[in-house]
Amino acid sequence: MYQIAIVIFDDFTDVDFFLMRDVLGRSQKDWTVSVLGTKPQHHSALGMAVKTDGPLDDANKADVVLFTSGYKGVPAALADEAFLSAFRLDPKRQLIGSICAGAYILQALGLLDGIQATTHPDAKAGLVKLGVDVLDKPLVVEGNIATAGGCLSSMYLTGWIAERLYDADKRREVQRQLIPAGQQA
Amino acid sequence: MYQIAIVIFDDFTDVDFFLMRDVLGRSQKDWTVSVLGTKPQHHSALGMAVKTDGPLDDANKADVVLFTSGYKGVPAALADEAFLSAFRLDPKRQLIGSICAGAYILQALGLLDGIQATTHPDAKAGLVKLGVDVLDKPLVVEGNIATAGGCLSSMYLTGWIAERLYDADKRREVQRQLIPAGQQA
């Protein structure tokens, strides 16, 4: 069974976490999902308390590591010494992804060196300043690293994971229930 | 300032609540959002605990009342005498909406009598059996009552609210940050 880790922190953007969590929660047989953070619980930008399932370094042994976003949350996490230093990620054996400003965390971990990426349109200029080649696309995949930009692009990111771990049928299976009525392919 | 009430119950579908909550939470100046339930907190289908801001009958004085969904949650809520009896809704002075199986609550409150509606595709047959004219559309609006079907159709439902309370610019304003990069209109 694949292990998927979702990394949160205080002031994470609600939908960036919950949409990902819900889509991945549609399967209980294909993977397990762990929510990781520096504390027993973190509060979202809208004040929702979410319990974590383990410390950040559990991400280092996961098959998939996903970083959530947060306008205030990401800069605060990056400023926290205990945050970045917990990670020993390896894109050779792990799928690694981010939504919106989560790309700043991948950048800080050196995972975007020499590759293209995307982020939230409002966060693009800052990421470009850090030397990242940022595309105006919902999802940018480079090998085992995928960045997504704009909250709803969570669908592309989780779809990519389902396809990489299994196949397109698995993607359709986990996304099917979220598609608006009358819009199923 | 408009008052928007979102009604939850135990075993609500995570994304059906959180997507709605996040989009509506993008404005703090145009409306307030209250989460209402029969208990101080309710747990989602995935086990997230969400605190409520007040009892169900607060919905009766709100400008907008939105019902979340839940495969197990809606039937349990409908079986709870204290749930349905709390509501004295009036589509003449309130905007009333539902996502997915939330349409069953509108039906039980008599709000779908003689009008068309939509629901989650998996929930359609049951609602048809109750005599509702169910369309395969993401959003069906009849006067002040709107039903949405398929989790992501939350975007249409909250967009309708922003347009009805204000205008299309308000809809674009609250939805802008959620649109995937490169897909902005």
Side-chain angles (χ1 to χ4, degrees):
Chain A
M1 181 110 85
Y2 293 109
Q3 313 276 327
I4 300 178
I6 302 180
V7 176
I8 63 171
F9 29 77
D10 286 319
D11 286 311
F12 66 85
T13 300
D14 291 69
V15 71
D16 284 349
F17 169 70
F18 289 112
L19 181 52
M20 205 183 263
R21 183 68 191 84
D22 187 284
V23 174
L24 295 172
R26 303 260 155 182
S27 166
Q28 269 94 49
K29 63 185 198 305
D30 303 307
W31 48 64
T32 59
V33 178
S34 299
V35 179
L36 308 181
T38 56
K39 301 195 295 191
Q41 65 173 20
H42 286 288
H43 286 84
S44 75
L46 290 171
M48 305 283 173
V50 172
K51 285 181 189 151
T52 52
D53 301 309
L56 291 179
D57 59 9
D58 278 5
N60 301 331
K61 57 191 184 207
D63 301 294
V64 180
V65 183
L66 298 173
F67 290 91
T68 55
S69 180
Y71 179 71
K72 290 197 300 180
V74 167
L78 290 177
D80 175 4
E81 189 69 24
F83 184 81
L84 279 181
S85 63
F87 298 108
R88 299 281 180 277
L89 304 184
D90 182 359
K92 285 195 198 72
R93 57 174 180 81
Q94 297 178 295
L95 299 179
I96 301 169
S98 64
I99 177 81
C100 296
Y104 282 75
I105 302 170
L106 299 197
Q107 189 276 334
L109 291 169
L111 293 167
L112 300 185
D113 294 354
I115 66 172
Q116 294 182 311
T118 187
T119 187
H120 193 285
D122 293 349
K124 178 181 174 180
L127 198 58
V128 168
K129 264 190 201 161
L130 293 170
V132 181
D133 185 2
V134 182
L135 305 181
D136 294 321
K137 289 187 175 178
L139 184 75
V140 173
V141 176
E142 291 255 16
N144 284 349
I145 296 175
T147 49
C151 312
L152 293 174
S153 62
S154 242
M155 294 296 287
Y156 299 104
L157 181 63
T158 51
W160 171 73
I161 290 162
E163 280 208 34
R164 281 297 307 270
L165 296 180
Y166 295 93
D167 52 28
D169 284 342
K170 185 62 66 186
R171 168 175 55 74
R172 281 186 281 266
E173 182 188 321
V174 296
Q175 294 193 340
R176 189 187 65 84
Q177 296 178 311
L178 280 85
I179 308 297
Q183 295 185 348
Q184 284 85 356
Chain B
M1 182 110 88
Y2 293 109
Q3 313 277 327
I4 300 178
I6 303 181
V7 175
I8 64 170
F9 28 76
D10 285 320
D11 286 312
F12 66 85
T13 300
D14 291 69
V15 71
D16 284 348
F17 169 70
F18 289 112
L19 181 51
M20 204 182 266
R21 182 69 191 86
D22 187 283
V23 175
L24 295 173
R26 303 262 155 181
S27 167
Q28 268 93 48
K29 64 184 198 304
D30 302 308
W31 48 64
T32 59
V33 178
S34 299
V35 179
L36 308 180
T38 56
K39 302 195 296 191
Q41 65 174 20
H42 287 287
H43 286 85
S44 74
L46 290 171
M48 304 284 172
V50 173
K51 285 182 188 149
T52 52
D53 302 309
L56 291 179
D57 58 9
D58 278 4
N60 302 330
K61 56 192 183 207
D63 300 295
V64 180
V65 183
L66 297 172
F67 290 91
T68 54
S69 182
Y71 180 71
K72 290 196 300 182
V74 167
L78 290 177
D80 175 2
E81 189 70 22
F83 185 80
L84 279 182
S85 63
F87 298 109
R88 299 279 180 279
L89 304 184
D90 181 0
K92 284 194 199 73
R93 58 174 178 81
Q94 296 178 297
L95 299 178
I96 301 169
S98 64
I99 179 81
C100 297
Y104 282 75
I105 302 171
L106 298 196
Q107 188 277 331
L109 290 170
L111 293 167
L112 299 185
D113 294 354
I115 65 171
Q116 296 182 311
T118 187
T119 187
H120 193 285
D122 294 350
K124 178 181 175 180
L127 198 58
V128 168
K129 264 190 200 160
L130 293 171
V132 181
D133 185 3
V134 182
L135 305 181
D136 294 321
K137 291 188 174 176
L139 183 76
V140 174
V141 177
E142 291 255 17
N144 284 348
I145 296 175
T147 50
C151 311
L152 292 175
S153 61
S154 242
M155 295 297 285
Y156 298 105
L157 181 62
T158 51
W160 171 74
I161 291 162
E163 280 209 32
R164 282 296 306 269
L165 296 180
Y166 294 94
D167 51 28
D169 283 342
K170 185 62 65 185
R171 168 175 54 75
R172 279 186 282 267
E173 182 188 321
V174 296
Q175 292 193 341
R176 189 187 65 84
Q177 295 177 311
L178 280 85
I179 308 298
Q183 294 185 349
Q184 284 85 356

